[in-house]
Amino acid sequence: MLRLFKNKKTNPPPEKDLTGNTLDIQDLFSPEALDIMRDKLYLGADRYSRIYAVYALPRQLRVGWLDDLSRAGDVDISIHMYPAPPGQVVNSLLKLETQSRSQYRLDQESGNIARLPELEAAIADYRALRETVQLGNDNLYYVTIFIAIHGKDEEELRQRSSLVEDILARKGVLHIALAFRQEQALKSYLPLNDLKIMDMARNLTSGAAACCMPLTTSASGISAA
């Protein structure tokens, strides 16, 4: 008897890599949507963001100085910190100290005494830091600080941004909203170790860099967040 229907030869299902069905780190932080505007981002339903960068810090920092920003509401802080090569630091500080000494003598000889106190302070700072690094008692770090502010709508984002700007101004911290650079700021702010904005790094000693670590105050004292 003729077989009108032949059994189809079935191929075994392809083997699947189990790791292909799992989330990676980018999936955890990828926004629902991305609409890049001049100085803010739309990241999906009820999610607007604006990212700032800090470009100048006060002369002295206290421990937990960023805590007030965390208490402002839906605000995230991202800090990139890289150690500077000690040899390069010593050479740079020696060069700056020499330049300041030369300028001090020129101003002194020309009778321009207005800047002398400022130059004296700079010379003392350069010398003290150089000697500390040479002795191995301190290190210098390149630190970049990003502040991401979030809101459910543009009005809430505006109000929270104004509050954060007031807090930073009160602390003597200069900041910039990174207009037309929000996409690069987003990539730099996410915890992916992918710094896209390289021109906002500032030099901090070990003590000053440690002060940038966010802290929370509890009934039992101060603890790292």
Side-chain angles (χ1 to χ4, degrees):
M1 182 177 179
L2 295 176
R3 298 181 62 183
L4 299 179
F5 301 98
K6 294 183 179 180
N7 292 331
K8 291 184 178 180
K9 188 176 181 181
T10 58
N11 296 322
E15 294 184 2
K16 291 185 177 181
D17 185 2
L18 294 180
T19 59
N21 298 327
T22 59
L23 294 175
D24 58 25
I25 189 170
Q26 292 185 352
D27 295 326
L28 298 176
F29 301 108
S30 297
E32 297 178 5
L34 178 59
D35 185 9
I36 304 168
M37 291 168 267
R38 181 176 63 87
D39 61 348
K40 57 181 174 288
L41 300 165
Y42 173 71
L43 302 178
D46 299 331
R47 193 67 169 177
Y48 286 84
S49 298
R50 176 177 290 125
I51 303 175
Y52 293 81
V54 171
Y55 68 88
L57 293 167
R59 184 177 176 85
Q60 293 183 342
L61 295 175
R62 64 175 179 83
V63 175
W65 68 274
L66 287 170
D67 284 3
D68 291 343
L69 297 180
S70 301
R71 289 191 284 266
D74 195 356
V75 177
D76 294 325
I77 300 170
S78 177
I79 302 174
H80 292 259
M81 192 177 301
Y82 301 96
Q88 179 182 337
V89 171
V90 170
N91 292 334
S92 298
L93 290 173
L94 182 59
K95 181 179 179 180
L96 291 171
E97 182 183 348
T98 303
Q99 291 174 346
S100 297
R101 288 185 182 277
S102 299
Q103 187 63 47
Y104 182 88
R105 291 176 182 174
L106 290 174
D107 289 350
Q108 192 176 40
E109 292 173 358
S110 63
N112 183 15
I113 62 174
R115 292 185 55 197
L116 293 184
E118 179 184 349
L119 289 171
E120 288 177 354
I123 292 170
D125 288 344
Y126 293 143
R127 182 176 63 251
L129 181 56
R130 176 174 56 81
E131 292 175 351
T132 302
V133 173
Q134 281 181 319
L135 294 174
N137 296 328
D138 205 347
N139 292 306
L140 205 67
Y141 292 86
Y142 304 136
V143 179
T144 307
I145 302 175
F146 296 100
I147 302 169
I149 305 172
H150 312 289
K152 294 181 179 179
D153 51 43
E154 294 188 60
E155 178 59 24
E156 184 176 87
L157 177 64
R158 185 193 65 79
Q159 293 179 359
R160 188 162 290 144
S161 297
S162 179
L163 175 60
V164 169
E165 289 174 1
D166 290 342
I167 294 174
L168 293 175
R170 188 169 66 247
K171 295 178 179 294
V173 177
L174 302 182
H175 56 282
I176 186 172
L178 295 172
F180 303 107
R181 303 175 73 184
Q182 288 290 299
E183 181 180 4
Q184 292 86 351
L186 176 64
K187 295 177 181 178
S188 301
Y189 139 76
L190 292 175
L192 302 174
N193 194 28
D194 186 16
L195 184 60
K196 297 294 186 182
I197 296 179
M198 309 296 294
D199 57 337
M200 292 294 168
R202 293 298 174 261
N203 305 326
L204 296 181
T205 61
S206 300
C211 290
C212 294
M213 296 298 101
L215 301 173
T216 56
T217 304
S218 62
S220 59
I222 299 177
S223 59

